[in-house]
């Protein structure tokens, strides 16, 4: 009885596993902002339909996404940290970086706004005020694109943030926003994730500072360098990048809405 | 509390209306949990039996080592196996990272100490004279092991269930080695982690309920097997 069921289960398992590997797969490392907003679920099926390739989206912070590319564990990346991307290319880990789309960062916080930054369009002044008042600030603290951006902004403000008011959470954008909402803290966020959470009535934080040109948030696609990692699916990666930057891909991005709101603007938009 | 409850009802609705994401995640969970428990018992049953029925130098130390592995943090297993499966690691050529098989490898490391220790405990509980008796009556070593296993089948099934419950409910290994790829390596637990990240707490809890139901059904089925 026992040996019979054992053999049966092994056969069954073999069948299950073999039924999986029917498609060619392209591994995409990307940021939580593109995956959690639903953009990839909207774009990738169109690409998959045309190419017959499955896109495996692995959503992590930009820092980790680039690391996965550097290790050759993915084929292509869609990330947002221009400086880190340029270093990545310069060091020879990636090739053919293309601009795909953009949105912007915003500073959000509790409606009570203890630092009094509401309506300030100079983000540097806003940050200085927050640190002067020691208003609670939650940082991603996870080497993501947003975290990298935050550190650049603090540096420009000539502030090295530390103390009781400054907390690095080591969490993704969604969790950081939820935590900031619970504790009445300020934080820097990409607009997409903020819209996703606030239109769902998940958080009561409001936008306090926006519109500074420093808050521009461009997303780029990069193929992993096939000379470094010969087994990466470079041709497929380029096919995917070309799709994202094609007229079709760009107009799909332009038409993407989440709960009626625009989250991303195509790079070649009108 | 109401926001949790409303979200939970909404989540239940999605579950029962046949949301494909839910079924996919449940399916992946079953597949990797079943596979890893199977492999872990192929290692753990013989190893546990061997440890219980023989004595050798260093047995005590080896047992303590296995008991330590029972507390192996899943994120550390995830990190270690990542190092081996990464393209830069020794097994990178096999392209197992971010696949269900990659998850299974990590889960087996998590599960085999459980199956081994449970088996060892169960077999140790048998009166040693039973083994001697079987051997005296002319049973071969394999035959003896088989007889003893039948004697302690309740304990062995507990071993399988404990292992299944552990691997089906862990999240660190699945997310680090699977990458949480929708419809491919997204398990119920990694889906719950994602939903909580998005603030969809209710839906997360509904997914948790699906997971508990799966484990409940497994326990029921094994109860039936025990009575055979």
């Amino acid at each position: 009885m026992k040996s019979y069921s054992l053999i049966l289960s092994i056969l069954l398992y073999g069948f299950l596993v073999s039924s999986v590997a029917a498609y060619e797969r392209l591994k995409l490392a990307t940021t939580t902002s593109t995956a959690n907003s639903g953009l990839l679920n909207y774009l990738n099926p169109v690409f998959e339909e045309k190419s017959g390739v499955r896109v495996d989206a692995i959503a992590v912070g930009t820092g980790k996404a680039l690391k996965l590319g550097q290790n050759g564990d993915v084929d292509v990346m869609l990330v947002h940290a221009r400086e880190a991307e340029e270093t990545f290319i310069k060091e020879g880990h990636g090739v053919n970086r293309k601009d795909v789309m953009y949105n912007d960062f915003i500073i959000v916080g509790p409606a009570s706004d203890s630092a009094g930054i509401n309506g300030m369009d100079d983000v540097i002044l806003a940050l200085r005020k927050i640190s002067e008042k020691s208003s609670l600030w939650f940082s991603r603290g996870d080497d993501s694109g947003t975290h990298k951006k935050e550190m650049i902004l603090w540096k420009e403000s000539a502030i090295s943030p530390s103390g009781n008011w400054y907390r690095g959470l080591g969490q993704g954008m969604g969790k950081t926003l939820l935590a900031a909402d619970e504790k009445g803290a300020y934080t820097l966020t990409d607009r997409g994730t903020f819209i996703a959470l606030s239109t769902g009535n998940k958080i009561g934080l409001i936008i306090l500072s926006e519109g500074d040109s420093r808050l521009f948030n461009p997303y780029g696609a990069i193929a992993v360098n096939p000379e470094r990692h010969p087994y990466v699916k470079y041709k497929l990666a380029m096919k995917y990048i070309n799709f994202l930057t094609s007229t079709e891909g760009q107009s799909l991005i332009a038409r993407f809405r989440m709960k009626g709101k625009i989250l991303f603007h195509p790079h070649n938009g009108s | 509390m109401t926001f949790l409850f409303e979200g939970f009802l909404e989540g239940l609705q999605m579950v029962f209306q046949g949301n494909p994401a839910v079924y996919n995640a449940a399916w992946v969970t079953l597949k990797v949990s079943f596979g890893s428990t199977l492999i872990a018992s192929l290692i753990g049953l013989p190893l546990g039996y061997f440890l219980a029925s023989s004595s050798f130098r260093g047995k005590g130390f080896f047992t303590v080592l296995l008991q330590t592995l029972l507390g192996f943090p899943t994120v550390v297993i995830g990190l270690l196996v990542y190092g081996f499966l990464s393209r830069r690691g020794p097994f990178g050529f096999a392209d197992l990272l971010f696949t269900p098989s990659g998850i299974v490898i990590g889960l087996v490391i998590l599960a085999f100490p459980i199956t081994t220790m449970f088996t060892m405990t169960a077999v140790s509980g048998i009166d040693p004279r039973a083994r001697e008796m079987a051997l005296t009556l002319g049973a071969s070593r394999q035959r003896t092991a088989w007889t003893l296993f039948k004697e302690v089948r309740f304990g062995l099934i507990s071993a399988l269930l404990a292992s299944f419950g552990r691997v089906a409910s862990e999240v660190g290994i699945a997310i680090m080695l699977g990458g949480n790829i929708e419809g491919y390596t997204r398990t119920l637990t990694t889906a719950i982690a994602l939903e909580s990240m998005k603030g969809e707490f209710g839906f997360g809890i509904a997914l948790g309920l699906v997971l508990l139901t799966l484990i409940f059904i497994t326990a029921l089925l094994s109860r039936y097997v025990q009575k055979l």
Side-chain angles (χ1 to χ4, degrees):
Chain A
M1 164 56 215
K2 188 155 183 175
S3 52
Y4 171 69
S5 62
L6 190 70
I7 290 165
L8 192 73
S9 36
I10 291 173
L11 286 178
L12 187 68
Y13 182 66
F15 168 71
L16 292 185
V17 170
S18 62
S19 65
V20 172
Y23 298 89
E24 193 162 11
R25 313 191 84 101
L26 177 70
K27 283 179 185 150
L28 163 72
T30 184
T31 74
T32 46
S33 50
T34 57
N36 293 0
S37 62
L39 176 73
L40 292 181
N41 282 348
Y42 160 87
L43 283 177
N44 287 350
V46 181
F47 175 73
E48 290 173 347
E49 179 75 24
K50 288 170 79 112
S51 61
V53 175
R54 284 291 164 98
V55 180
D56 287 344
I58 297 147
V60 290
T62 291
K64 189 171 177 198
L66 291 175
K67 197 81 199 167
L68 289 176
Q70 187 177 335
N71 289 348
D73 289 326
V74 293
D75 306 303
V76 60
M77 291 145 290
L78 177 61
V79 290
H80 66 131
R82 185 64 68 86
E83 281 184 20
E85 289 166 40
E86 276 162 9
T87 316
F88 187 82
I89 304 265
K90 210 178 289 165
E91 289 173 355
H93 303 305
V95 289
N96 290 326
R97 187 195 172 285
K98 292 255 175 71
D99 286 310
V100 175
M101 60 191 184
Y102 64 90
N103 60 12
D104 62 341
F105 292 108
I106 49 183
I107 291 184
V108 299
S112 57
D113 188 21
S114 60
I117 62 161
N118 198 352
M120 293 178 75
D121 47 16
D122 187 328
V123 64
I124 299 302
L125 292 181
L127 286 182
R128 282 192 183 140
K129 253 186 141 176
I130 288 170
S131 88
E132 270 165 31
K133 294 266 161 89
S134 291
S135 301
L136 190 60
W137 174 278
F138 279 178
S139 165
R140 290 276 295 273
D142 64 349
D143 198 33
S144 59
T146 309
H147 184 224
K148 286 177 195 286
K149 184 66 172 188
E150 186 202 319
M151 296 329 285
I152 291 171
L153 292 174
W154 285 119
K155 204 173 164 195
E156 261 190 67
S157 322
I159 294 165
S160 51
S162 63
N164 267 340
W165 60 277
Y166 185 85
R167 306 255 167 86
L169 300 192
Q171 299 271 14
M173 195 70 253
K175 282 234 164 125
T176 302
L177 281 169
L178 289 164
D181 184 50
E182 291 285 343
K183 296 289 183 189
Y186 293 86
T187 191
L188 178 77
T189 173
D190 67 286
R191 192 182 290 268
T193 310
F194 177 74
I195 290 176
L197 280 159
S198 64
T199 50
N201 259 336
K202 305 266 187 296
I203 50 175
L205 300 171
I206 59 169
I207 300 175
L208 294 170
S209 177
E210 61 184 325
D212 194 316
S213 61
R214 296 181 187 92
L215 293 173
F216 183 59
N217 180 24
Y219 287 78
I222 309 174
V224 170
N225 188 353
E227 281 170 24
R228 282 277 167 93
H229 301 287
Y231 41 76
V232 293
K233 295 169 182 161
Y234 174 69
K235 276 189 182 158
L236 283 184
M238 285 317 296
K239 224 177 184 179
Y240 186 67
I241 293 177
N242 289 335
F243 165 74
L244 291 178
T245 51
S246 69
T247 321
E248 185 190 11
Q250 293 283 296
S251 72
L252 280 170
I253 292 170
R255 287 202 301 271
F256 177 66
R257 298 284 184 280
M258 185 185 197
K259 289 163 181 153
K261 300 209 177 177
I262 296 173
L263 295 197
F264 299 100
H265 306 275
H267 177 68
N268 298 322
S270 46
Chain B
M1 259 332 260
T2 42
F3 79 99
L4 255 189
F5 187 66
E6 278 164 17
F8 178 61
L9 288 184
E10 230 172 87
L12 274 188
Q13 236 174 2
M14 286 174 86
V15 169
F16 283 110
Q17 280 167 356
N19 186 321
V22 176
Y23 285 113
N24 275 332
W27 182 234
V28 175
T29 298
L30 272 181
K31 219 161 49 181
V32 298
S33 307
F34 189 74
S36 54
T37 301
L38 187 75
I39 298 171
S41 34
L42 290 179
I43 303 169
L45 264 58
L47 185 59
Y49 178 81
F50 170 73
L51 285 174
S53 60
S54 57
S55 59
F56 56 93
R57 246 176 82 95
K59 178 179 161 182
F61 180 72
F62 191 68
T63 311
V64 171
L65 212 65
L66 273 170
Q67 282 165 337
T68 309
L69 289 185
L70 286 175
F72 212 160
T74 59
V75 281
V76 178
I77 296 179
L79 261 180
L80 281 175
V81 179
Y82 175 85
F84 279 93
L85 297 188
S86 166
R87 285 294 192 175
R88 284 190 160 180
F91 298 105
F93 62 90
D95 196 19
L96 288 169
L97 191 64
F98 304 135
T99 65
S101 311
I103 303 179
V104 169
I105 292 172
L107 292 182
V108 167
I109 296 174
L110 178 67
F112 91 86
I114 302 177
T115 51
T116 309
M117 291 313 297
F118 269 70
T119 307
M120 185 181 170
T121 312
V123 176
S124 305
I126 305 174
D127 190 332
R129 282 172 300 183
R131 186 162 171 272
E132 285 158 23
M133 171 86 92
L135 288 171
T136 318
L137 289 174
S140 65
R141 294 177 72 91
Q142 289 86 344
R143 180 79 202 168
T144 307
W146 183 241
T147 312
L148 296 189
F149 270 164
K150 276 210 297 207
E151 207 54 45
V152 295
R153 63 182 180 280
F154 188 81
L156 297 186
I157 285 181
S158 299
L160 299 190
L161 277 180
S163 153
F164 186 84
R166 183 76 183 100
V167 296
S169 58
E170 83 78 38
V171 55
I173 291 170
I175 218 157
M176 295 181 83
L177 301 176
N180 205 6
I181 299 163
E182 190 178 355
Y184 185 50
T185 58
R186 180 164 302 165
T187 64
L188 284 168
T189 51
T190 61
I192 293 168
L194 179 69
E195 293 306 328
S196 86
M197 201 157 84
K198 294 197 289 187
E200 303 281 354
F201 299 124
F203 187 41
I205 292 176
L207 286 173
L209 203 67
V210 175
L211 180 58
L212 276 175
T213 311
L214 285 184
I215 296 176
F216 177 71
I217 294 170
T218 316
L220 267 186
L221 283 177
S222 65
R223 178 131 191 95
Y224 170 76
V225 173
Q226 275 171 13
K227 285 183 179 159
L228 285 180

